Amino acid sequence: MNDPRFNSEIDMRTGYKTNLILCMPICNYDGDVIGVAQIINKTDDSDEFTSHDVEVFQRYLTFCGIGIQNAQLFEVSVLEYRRNQILLNLARSIFEEQNNLECLVTKIMREAQDLLNCERCAVYLLDLDCCEASHLENIIERPGRIIERHAPLNRLQSDNVSPEDMMDGGTTNKCKFTTIFELRDGGSNTLVSRPSSFDLQCSTLAQIAGYAASRGQILNIGDVQTWLNEQHTEGDAESARTILCMPIINGQKTLIGVAQLINKANAVPFTDCDVSLFEAFAIFCGLGIHNTQMYENACKLMAKQKVALECLSYHATASNDATERLLKEDIPTADRFNLYSFTFIDFELNDEDTCKATIRMFLECNLVQQFHIPYDVLCRWILSVKKNYRPVKYHNWRHALNVAQTMFAMFKTGKMDRFMTDLEILGLLVACLCHDLDHRGTNNAFQTKTESPLAILYSTSTMEHHHFDQCVMILNTDSNNIFQALSPEDYRRVMKLVETAILSTDLAMYFKKKSMFLDLIEDGEFDWQSDDKKELLSGMMMTACDVSAIAKPWDVQHRVAKLVADEFFDQGDLEKMQLKEQPVAMMDRERKDELPQMQVGFIDVICLPLYRVLSDTFPWVEPLYQGTVENRKHWQDLAEKVEMGLTWIDHDTIDKPVEAFTDPEETKDIELTVQTLHTVQPPPQINQKMKRRHKICTML
């Protein structure tokens, strides 16, 4: 070869004589060059490759290009299949271990060692709000804070960053690793440490991990000793030849730690393929570690909840002294308390008498003997239920007593007991007494607006679910379980009945079921013994009892209406002060004179339709309907007087907004803690007369 481009050194070393060379590119389907083929020297001693040789070689290389590309694609598919199988097995392995963080991380490191064939593996975990201090900070921190999220990871080779960059970054201050897991000696020895700040500053490997964490970058160091200068060659990095550091990100794209691989087998650097595989591996690690930490936190929170429930149960239970006093008291007759009448009034009863009246209802229904309820347990349970009602204006213990008494009157005077078993009578009386337990004087809408813990816990019938939970808590407290003698099946049935009955006091549930009830009545239903029909009838009875104050004698109804309005206005004041919202009319103190017309609307929409259909079907409950009709006339008369410019209500405490209260006793029942506030512009003013015609004031 005389061509100046030819290097003859190879011929001189091998003794081979190169006379002719034909080079041609190898192209794939798309015409891209994927290689070069070269043929040397004709075998017939010709002094050149002919045009025919070139044409044959070109056609041959066309098939070579197709074959090579197919082989490459097959190799890639095989590698991808193996990679997917590895990751699938990894995911299965990781998510099988969710109850212990140390076991999970050990399994992750062992999988990483086997996957990438390295000598050592370490996982550095950050503090992820697992400690008590961080948990407290999260509780008192303003909701809605912005969580820092990491951008997609970038890859850095050792020639892109120097040890000085790592040291100057101050990474150990930014990334406080709380736990380090190390796997050495072929995966047989796992070391767990909780380093101090001094330990992190003295560890070169920790500084490298901290740099990767603070920058959110993958760091691949192919020659550690060359990369590190003499100042850093001592210590824990002395035996390291190659290092691959990978930030671990959870499902929320929050940094939770760093995985570090040390010393690839055969002392070769980690390749791009290794980095890609480890990057996918780190995603599963992040999910697994995050889930396990959340599981451990949930276990701690459940333990805390159990301790809190034990404390709450102790303080929620009536004292032994109060129980002993009630045990020794004589219980007056039902006639003495007027329990059989729909016009029962509790105003003249003291607190002790309200408990006696409750006991009398259980005795009159023969529930104590029928279900073997220990008398001391009944007394303690009644006192405990009374104790767990807050001193709010209306939804308090006396409201619960009135609701239970109306249910008792419906059973005895209204003869509804013929449609119920003794167990169902027991369950409905318990539901009435417990249906507003721990009421805060604010409704479900307020809980939702303020994003209270109750609203987060229950998305529908928020307060009603809470009332039932309180009922269960009291029943589960020592010496308070009046159901203790029931069989397991009866216990299950009565608890289900109590839950359904309490939830049915949510007016939203009433409106959903009212049409079904009316349809049954219109079809002439008289057999209410099936479970579905019995549940529907019980729900209607609960609503009828819950709003029964509307059927009391006028002087009682007028007085109760003030209590209801006062509680509603307190909520309206809270909405104005804290939510910066204009409350609805029935909760707006400035529009108190519209209440008579709203009461008329409440009677027309809810009370009269229910009482009318009940009295038509069960004639003995007609006093509820008649009392409501009479009170509607009074409210209508007051509404007309308001239209003429008069006021319906005395200017007493109902006229005082929350911010005007100075006596702590007046405000102790008003809950002023709001978790999250949303500011909404007040609605534009509209014609007041039109508003009066369409507002409804509820008495629940």
Side-chain angles (χ1 to χ4, degrees):
M1 285 289 294
N2 297 322
D3 194 305
R5 292 171 295 181
F6 177 72
N7 186 352
S8 59
E9 291 183 3
I10 301 298
D11 283 4
M12 294 176 62
R13 288 202 305 267
T14 62
Y16 183 81
K17 176 62 175 177
T18 302
N19 297 316
L20 301 173
I21 294 178
L22 176 60
C23 286
M24 192 169 292
I26 304 173
C27 299
N28 61 14
Y29 302 131
D30 301 320
D32 299 326
V33 176
I34 60 174
V36 173
Q38 189 179 76
I39 53 178
I40 302 173
N41 293 351
K42 292 273 289 186
T43 57
D44 58 0
D45 296 329
S46 299
D47 56 358
E48 66 177 3
F49 289 103
T50 66
S51 57
H52 181 269
D53 294 335
V54 173
E55 182 180 356
V56 171
F57 192 37
Q58 186 175 18
R59 291 180 179 178
Y60 173 76
L61 292 185
T62 299
F63 291 100
C64 288
I66 295 173
I68 291 173
Q69 186 173 17
N70 287 342
Q72 289 175 331
L73 291 175
F74 178 75
E75 184 178 7
V76 169
S77 66
V78 170
L79 291 175
E80 190 63 28
Y81 174 78
R82 291 177 55 194
R83 169 184 168 135
N84 290 339
Q85 287 297 113
I86 290 172
L87 294 177
L88 182 61
N89 293 333
L90 171 65
R92 184 183 300 112
S93 175
I94 286 177
F95 288 104
E96 284 176 353
E97 190 71 56
Q98 291 286 286
N99 58 355
N100 185 282
L101 183 62
E102 183 174 339
C103 292
L104 173 71
V105 174
T106 299
K107 182 174 288 189
I108 288 174
M109 292 189 297
R110 190 171 291 117
E111 293 281 354
Q113 271 191 331
D114 295 340
L115 182 65
L116 297 176
N117 196 18
C118 59
E119 293 180 3
R120 293 164 55 189
C121 181
V123 172
Y124 298 77
L125 291 185
L126 296 166
D127 183 9
L128 295 178
D129 304 333
C130 296
C131 64
E132 296 295 326
S134 297
H135 180 63
L136 179 60
E137 289 175 3
N138 282 347
I139 291 177
I140 63 177
E141 193 170 31
R142 180 180 64 84
R145 67 185 178 96
I146 298 176
I147 300 176
E148 180 182 356
R149 301 185 185 279
H150 283 259
L153 302 179
N154 296 320
R155 299 184 183 184
L156 284 180
Q157 299 293 335
S158 55
D159 54 358
N160 299 126
V161 59
S162 68
E164 286 71 23
D165 295 331
M166 179 187 70
M167 295 298 296
D168 294 341
T171 56
T172 52
N173 294 328
K174 295 180 182 178
C175 296
K176 171 65 175 175
F177 296 119
T178 57
T179 310
I180 300 177
F181 300 88
E182 295 182 84
L183 195 64
R184 300 181 179 181
D185 301 333
S188 60
N189 185 21
T190 303
L191 302 177
V192 182
S193 61
R194 289 171 174 78
S196 64
S197 299
F198 178 78
D199 295 332
L200 294 175
Q201 292 174 0
C202 296
S203 169
T204 302
L205 295 179
Q207 291 175 2
I208 294 174
Y211 181 86
S214 63
R215 299 299 178 89
Q217 294 174 325
I218 302 169
L219 186 57
N220 187 5
I221 304 174
D223 187 344
V224 176
Q225 299 304 318
T226 302
W227 182 69
L228 291 172
N229 55 40
E230 295 180 358
Q231 299 176 3
H232 305 293
T233 53
E234 299 179 356
D236 57 358
E238 184 176 2
S239 61
R241 300 185 299 273
T242 58
I243 293 177
L244 176 60
C245 265
M246 179 80 63
I248 301 175
I249 311 296
N250 65 15
Q252 288 73 40
K253 297 185 179 179
T254 303
L255 181 75
I256 63 174
V258 172
Q260 189 177 78
L261 302 181
I262 300 174
N263 293 348
K264 175 83 170 175
N266 301 323
V268 297
F270 291 97
T271 65
D272 286 342
C273 182
D274 293 333
V275 174
S276 297
L277 191 58
F278 194 42
E279 190 172 3
F281 175 88
I283 294 174
F284 289 98
C285 294
L287 294 175
I289 291 173
H290 181 72
N291 288 348
T292 302
Q293 288 176 324
M294 292 301 100
Y295 175 80
E296 290 185 347
N297 282 347
C299 291
K300 292 178 182 177
L301 290 175
M302 289 177 65
K304 289 181 180 179
Q305 183 185 40
K306 186 175 181 180
V307 172
L309 185 60
E310 290 174 351
C311 296
L312 178 63
S313 299
Y314 173 79
H315 293 288
T317 301
S319 66
N320 290 332
D321 291 342
T323 304
E324 288 295 328
R325 285 195 299 271
L326 185 58
L327 272 170
K328 297 176 182 178
E329 294 288 342
D330 293 331
I331 307 301
T333 64
D335 291 336
R336 164 69 176 78
F337 291 122
N338 197 28
L339 292 177
Y340 283 87
S341 173
F342 288 107
T343 61
F344 168 81
I345 301 172
D346 71 287
F347 293 155
E348 302 303 323
L349 302 181
N350 58 35
D351 285 349
E352 189 177 80
D353 287 337
T354 61
C355 296
K356 294 178 183 178
T358 305
I359 293 174
R360 174 51 63 188
M361 287 188 279
F362 276 78
L363 294 174
E364 290 293 304
C365 292
N366 198 34
L367 300 176
V368 177
Q369 289 184 332
Q370 177 74 14
F371 298 105
H372 308 289
I373 303 174
Y375 189 67
D376 61 326
V377 174
L378 177 64
C379 292
R380 183 177 289 103
W381 176 77
I382 291 172
L383 289 169
S384 298
V385 170
K386 174 179 174 294
K387 185 177 182 180
N388 279 270
Y389 274 93
R390 300 192 185 195
V392 294
K393 304 291 174 55
Y394 177 68
H395 289 94
N396 50 41
W397 161 247
R398 288 182 178 263
H399 167 64
L401 171 66
N402 278 279
V403 173
Q405 185 277 328
T406 303
M407 182 65 75
F408 174 82
M410 290 184 76
F411 286 143
K412 295 302 184 180
T413 305
K415 301 185 179 181
M416 299 297 294
D417 56 353
R418 64 182 60 183
F419 301 101
M420 301 289 172
T421 65
D422 290 339
L423 186 67
E424 289 163 346
I425 292 174
L426 173 64
L428 288 174
L429 281 179
V430 169
C432 288
L433 289 168
C434 298
H435 83 282
D436 273 333
L437 273 170
D438 196 45
H439 200 290
R440 285 90 187 281
T442 53
N443 60 13
N444 289 338
F446 185 83
Q447 305 301 321
T448 301
K449 287 179 183 178
T450 59
E451 296 181 359
S452 70
L454 287 178
I456 296 172
L457 191 59
Y458 307 113
S459 58
T460 60
S461 300
T462 301
M463 292 304 301
E464 288 73 23
H465 277 106
H466 178 59
H467 303 325
F468 175 69
D469 283 350
Q470 292 297 108
C471 173
V472 173
M473 184 270 293
I474 295 173
L475 286 170
N476 286 340
T477 306
D478 290 342
S479 304
N480 269 311
N481 188 3
I482 59 175
F483 298 151
Q484 60 186 256
L486 297 180
S487 66
E489 177 61 22
D490 283 347
Y491 185 85
R492 184 193 64 80
R493 289 173 57 200
V494 76
M495 289 304 296
K496 181 62 178 176
L497 171 62
V498 171
E499 179 183 22
T500 304
I502 291 178
L503 293 181
S504 69
T505 60
D506 182 3
L507 277 183
M509 298 293 293
Y510 164 73
F511 284 118
K512 287 181 180 179
K513 296 183 177 181
K514 181 181 70 170
S515 59
M516 297 170 57
F517 183 71
L518 294 178
D519 290 342
L520 285 176
I521 297 297
E522 290 176 1
D523 292 341
E525 182 62 50
F526 62 90
D527 181 12
W528 299 90
Q529 295 310 305
S530 68
D531 291 341
D532 292 342
K533 294 175 184 176
K534 186 75 69 70
E535 180 180 323
L536 193 58
L537 177 60
S538 299
M540 295 299 110
M541 291 173 64
M542 286 296 296
T543 301
C545 295
D546 199 12
V547 300
S548 61
I550 202 72
K552 298 290 185 181
W554 171 244
D555 57 336
V556 177
Q557 157 62 187
H558 188 266
R559 183 172 171 180
V560 171
K562 290 184 179 182
L563 296 174
V564 177
D566 205 3
E567 184 174 291
F568 282 176
F569 290 159
D570 286 348
Q571 176 176 325
D573 294 338
L574 290 177
E575 293 180 5
K576 288 180 182 178
M577 288 190 302
Q578 299 191 9
L579 298 178
K580 309 304 180 186
E581 289 185 359
Q582 186 67 24
V584 296
M586 67 181 179
M587 296 185 180
D588 190 350
R589 195 179 300 275
E590 302 301 323
R591 301 171 64 178
K592 58 184 177 295
D593 287 329
E594 298 179 32
L595 284 174
Q597 185 60 48
M598 288 189 285
Q599 285 291 86
V600 173
F602 172 65
I603 291 172
D604 290 344
V605 174
I606 296 175
C607 304
L608 278 183
L610 176 60
Y611 290 146
R612 182 183 297 112
V613 71
L614 284 175
S615 62
D616 288 345
T617 310
F618 313 104
W620 302 278
V621 301
E622 188 175 2
L624 291 174
Y625 175 72
Q626 293 298 335
T628 305
V629 170
E630 290 298 318
N631 285 332
R632 187 192 186 282
K633 296 176 183 178
H634 289 289
W635 285 119
Q636 183 62 45
D637 180 60
L638 286 177
E640 292 172 359
K641 291 179 179 178
V642 170
E643 291 288 342
M644 293 186 291
L646 302 176
T647 183
W648 75 279
I649 200 164
D650 300 329
H651 287 267
D652 49 16
T653 56
I654 201 170
D655 201 31
K656 297 170 64 177
V658 170
E659 58 264 34
F661 292 150
T662 57
D663 186 354
E665 291 300 314
E666 290 184 280
T667 57
K668 65 183 179 181
D669 55 303
I670 300 172
E671 182 159 335
L672 295 174
T673 302
V674 178
Q675 295 291 327
T676 304
L677 307 181
H678 299 292
T679 302
V680 179
Q681 295 298 325
Q685 296 298 321
I686 63 175
N687 186 277
Q688 298 296 321
K689 278 192 175 181
M690 293 300 296
K691 290 172 117 179
R692 291 172 185 161
R693 298 180 188 277
H694 299 286
K695 300 301 180 183
I696 297 175
C697 177
T698 59
M699 303 269 307
L700 305 184

